[in-house]
Amino acid sequence: MRIDLHTHSRASDGTQAPDELVHDAAAAGLDVVALTDHDTADGWDEAAEAAVATGVSLVRGMEISTRHSGGRGVHLLAYLPDPTYPPLVGELARILDGRDARVPVMLQKLQDCGIQIEAADMRRVAGATTATGRPHVADALVALGAVRDRDEAFAKYLSAGRPAYVDRYATPLDEMVEIVAGAGGVSVVAHPWGRHQRATLDEPAFAELAERGLAGIEVDHQDHDEEERRDLRAIARNLGLVATGSSGHHGTGKVGHELGCNTTDPDEFARLLDLAVASAARSGRPAPTLVNGR
Ligand code: AMP
Ligand code: FE
Ligand code: ZN
């Protein structure tokens, strides 16, 4: 069983349509794929149709923008939440509003850097996305010939501390862990030590989140080196958290994150599903189902 629990489509900042992504997952030999667009469930229905057509099992998920103490951004993967749960709907709307409100400010800052970039340039590359993001601004800069690729756009303009960086709203991490549990889903911290930021979350911080209902840690991810994976796996084991492995695939938008480049152990996946069933029962939300699942 090959299981990849973190991918993005054009509903956020991936480059494949949701159905294309699922077809590519089947072609890559995956048995299970989770669609985890940033802050939206908008790709779920299209992905589900493709899952039925291909036989791949689909886990409906999302990657939610949160903030830990000290203002550090943390991405929280939410699997199988009820997307109609009002507190979740409210927070996602707030996050998406923050994403949209930031775009004109970023464009203005780029113009202040001497780049002729307009809202229309952004709309052209962002297509029908629900979650506008810096990767779309990066794509617009590439299309204008201002930079070579997304990486250069981030390095020159868009990363924190660079001239076109603009902060945006994200939900406090501990609150979002509780909201996902209330929605009958399970949460897993995405690439917690990405860019070698071990200080973001240490073992006591994970222990606190586990108390609030955190289900797992994304251990095997391209942003973690061998030592980080070993130490995160030990933390997961100590705290009884599920350890997952995933690609964080963004289509052609992020090199080195091909579908299935990291995978989740089937036993760990089974534990995650059991926790989702328990979460739904506890919160009174509908029992979670996979497309083509058990
Ligand atoms: P945003 O959602 O607008 O805050 O943008 C953050 C997203 O941009 C992350 O989810 C990453 O996938 C992507 N990203 C961050 N840094 C880079 C980079 N250096 N090159 C390409 N993509 C990046
Ligand atoms: Fe992420
Ligand atoms: Zn991601």
Side-chain angles (χ1 to χ4, degrees):
M1 274 251 282
R2 299 190 68 226
I3 303 164
D4 187 342
L5 295 180
H6 182 166
T7 71
H8 298 267
S9 76
R10 281 211 290 265
S12 61
D13 56 5
T15 59
Q16 294 132 301
D19 60 349
E20 213 180 325
L21 175 75
V22 172
H23 281 278
D24 288 353
L30 293 178
D31 302 288
V32 179
V33 67
L35 177 65
T36 55
D37 276 308
H38 293 287
D39 308 312
T40 183
D42 277 4
W44 286 8
D45 290 349
E46 187 183 314
E49 279 178 34
V52 170
T54 57
V56 170
S57 294
L58 175 72
V59 181
R60 297 174 180 91
M62 50 182 90
E63 184 179 19
I64 305 176
S65 307
T66 78
R67 205 177 291 284
H68 187 47
S69 56
R72 292 169 189 270
V74 172
H75 288 173
L76 188 69
L77 293 159
Y79 297 110
L80 305 164
D82 176 355
T84 69
Y85 179 59
L88 180 60
V89 171
E91 273 306 304
L92 293 179
R94 205 169 159 191
I95 294 168
L96 292 172
D97 284 349
R99 285 181 169 280
D100 289 341
R102 169 179 66 156
V103 172
V105 187
M106 283 193 285
L107 298 184
Q108 181 59 53
K109 285 180 178 265
L110 287 166
Q111 287 166 8
D112 295 345
C113 293
I115 297 169
Q116 305 289 316
I117 184 168
E118 307 291 337
D121 298 311
M122 168 83 180
R123 278 197 296 275
R124 211 170 294 124
V125 294
T129 188
T130 305
T132 55
R134 285 177 287 167
H136 301 112
V137 179
D139 289 347
L141 289 169
V142 173
L144 289 169
V147 294
R148 256 190 335 269
D149 52 24
R150 281 187 180 182
D151 278 338
E152 190 182 343
F154 273 86
K156 269 193 169 156
Y157 300 110
L158 302 174
S159 292
R162 304 307 299 161
Y165 177 75
V166 181
D167 200 15
R168 63 179 168 86
Y169 175 75
T171 310
L173 173 58
D174 49 0
E175 270 177 42
M176 188 49 81
V177 167
E178 290 181 348
I179 289 172
V180 173
V186 284
S187 54
V188 172
V189 177
H191 45 71
W193 292 349
R195 287 167 236 291
H196 311 298
Q197 294 289 317
R198 271 181 186 250
T200 306
L201 287 166
D202 56 9
E203 184 159 343
F206 278 117
E208 246 175 67
L209 293 170
E211 295 268 310
R212 289 176 185 264
L214 181 73
I217 302 177
E218 188 178 61
V219 170
D220 289 306
H221 184 281
Q222 297 304 83
D223 289 357
H224 297 148
D225 63 26
E226 281 310 315
E227 194 185 342
E228 288 160 347
R229 294 178 189 213
R230 189 194 62 209
D231 293 351
L232 281 169
R233 209 180 309 282
I235 291 174
R237 198 179 311 114
N238 292 344
L239 299 176
L241 293 168
V242 173
T244 67
S246 298
S247 63
H249 183 68
H250 282 71
T252 56
K254 224 171 176 182
V255 290
H257 293 253
E258 303 324 313
L259 287 165
C261 64
N262 297 295
T263 55
T264 296
D265 181 276
D267 294 336
E268 293 294 290
F269 180 55
R271 277 179 68 205
L272 193 66
L273 292 183
D274 288 343
L275 289 170
V277 169
S279 172
R282 201 178 312 115
S283 62
R285 312 309 296 182
T289 54
L290 307 192
V291 182
N292 302 321
R294 62 176 194 188

